[in-house]
Amino acid sequence: MVENELARHDHVGEQNVVYGSEPTVNFPHVTGARDSSLMYRGMNRWCPSHPIPPIESPHSEKLTMNSVHWISTLAICAGLSLSSVASAQDEAAKAHAAAHAAHAAIELPTLGVAMIVPTKDSKVRGLLSLTQKGEELKISGKINNLTPGEHGFHIHTFGDLRGTDGTATGGHYDASGHKHGAPGAESHAGDLGNITADENGVATVEITTSHTKLHFVLGRAFVVHAGKDDLTSQPSGDAGGRVATGVIGIGNPDFKMPAK
């Protein structure tokens, strides 16, 4: 008789209402008391802190109150789930911020070096050091075997010494879309003006710039030009061919040059 009564009330309207030892509301279309019982248990496992009450009969006055309780419980569980997601997102954001702070705290190199080597048919050579102190980058050293006079001197984009003419180093290093010009905030970051060789062909380099930093130019290249940079012509000051190049690397602060 119980089985017949259960089967008789297996479908009510557009939704299934099953009752018995563990009744619940079916979501279309789960039929049979056993399947509904499994769904009921599953919902209670999903939110064990707010167990869903059984719905006894489609004709019982308890149906309406229990339905309201069921819906309210579902809303509470959904709210708890959303709260958990928000909490997880907050923890992820905190972890990201901590990682960013740790990355920012990494000590950046403060010493760079560049061996200046000749291009084809040139004998220009030299050694330069780069020292970062606060906001200022100091470039110092000597370049030999130049023709007397001024020579365009820049940091170029690529530390690529393939080929024989220095053109693999690309154009002047510039991260801000500026035009070529005299060293300054409105020029290429790699615009260092001119160096001057004496009658012996030796140029002593002493340049300080605050328009770039060492860690931005590591892996890029110095280029020494055959002629003077007019500081106006685009894109590189009409300084002539490239007579020497040198890749900027991280310097070893503990290294001492051997005595000559």
Side-chain angles (χ1 to χ4, degrees), residues 148-244:
E150 294 182 282
H151 296 266
F153 181 64
H154 316 110
I155 297 174
H156 285 235
T157 304
F158 304 109
D160 189 343
L161 303 189
R162 292 177 293 178
T164 60
D165 60 1
T167 56
T169 59
H172 297 178
Y173 167 57
D174 174 42
S176 304
H178 293 144
K179 292 184 177 181
H180 173 66
E186 299 304 317
S187 301
H188 298 154
D191 285 346
L192 301 177
N194 291 289
I195 55 176
T196 303
D198 61 19
E199 64 274 11
N200 297 315
V202 178
T204 299
V205 179
E206 292 290 342
I207 296 173
T208 300
T209 177
S210 59
H211 304 301
T212 190
K213 292 184 177 180
L214 176 62
H215 59 276
F216 291 133
V217 298
L218 289 172
R220 305 188 191 280
F222 285 115
V223 172
V224 183
H225 289 266
K228 177 182 178 180
D229 183 345
D230 65 16
L231 309 179
T232 302
S233 300
Q234 302 301 319
S236 57
D238 194 25
R242 306 176 184 194
V243 296

Side-chain angles (χ1 to χ4, degrees), residues 21-111:
S21 60
E22 290 181 302
T24 185
V25 174
N26 266 332
F27 288 83
H29 282 292
V30 178
T31 59
R34 180 176 300 176
D35 292 338
S36 299
S37 177
L38 291 175
M39 176 181 290
Y40 177 82
R41 293 191 187 104
M43 292 297 290
N44 280 343
R45 280 196 297 269
W46 178 62
C47 190
S49 62
H50 293 78
I52 299 170
I55 300 174
E56 295 186 358
S57 166
H59 304 294
S60 169
E61 293 181 357
K62 294 182 179 181
L63 176 61
T64 300
M65 294 303 296
N66 281 341
S67 296
V68 171
H69 190 176
W70 190 91
I71 293 170
S72 299
T73 300
L74 184 61
I76 292 171
C77 292
L80 291 173
S81 298
L82 291 174
S83 177
S84 298
V85 170
S87 177
Q89 290 175 336
D90 184 57
E91 290 300 321
K94 289 179 180 178
H96 178 76
H100 181 75
H103 178 73
I106 294 174
E107 185 176 351
L108 294 172
T110 57
L111 177 65

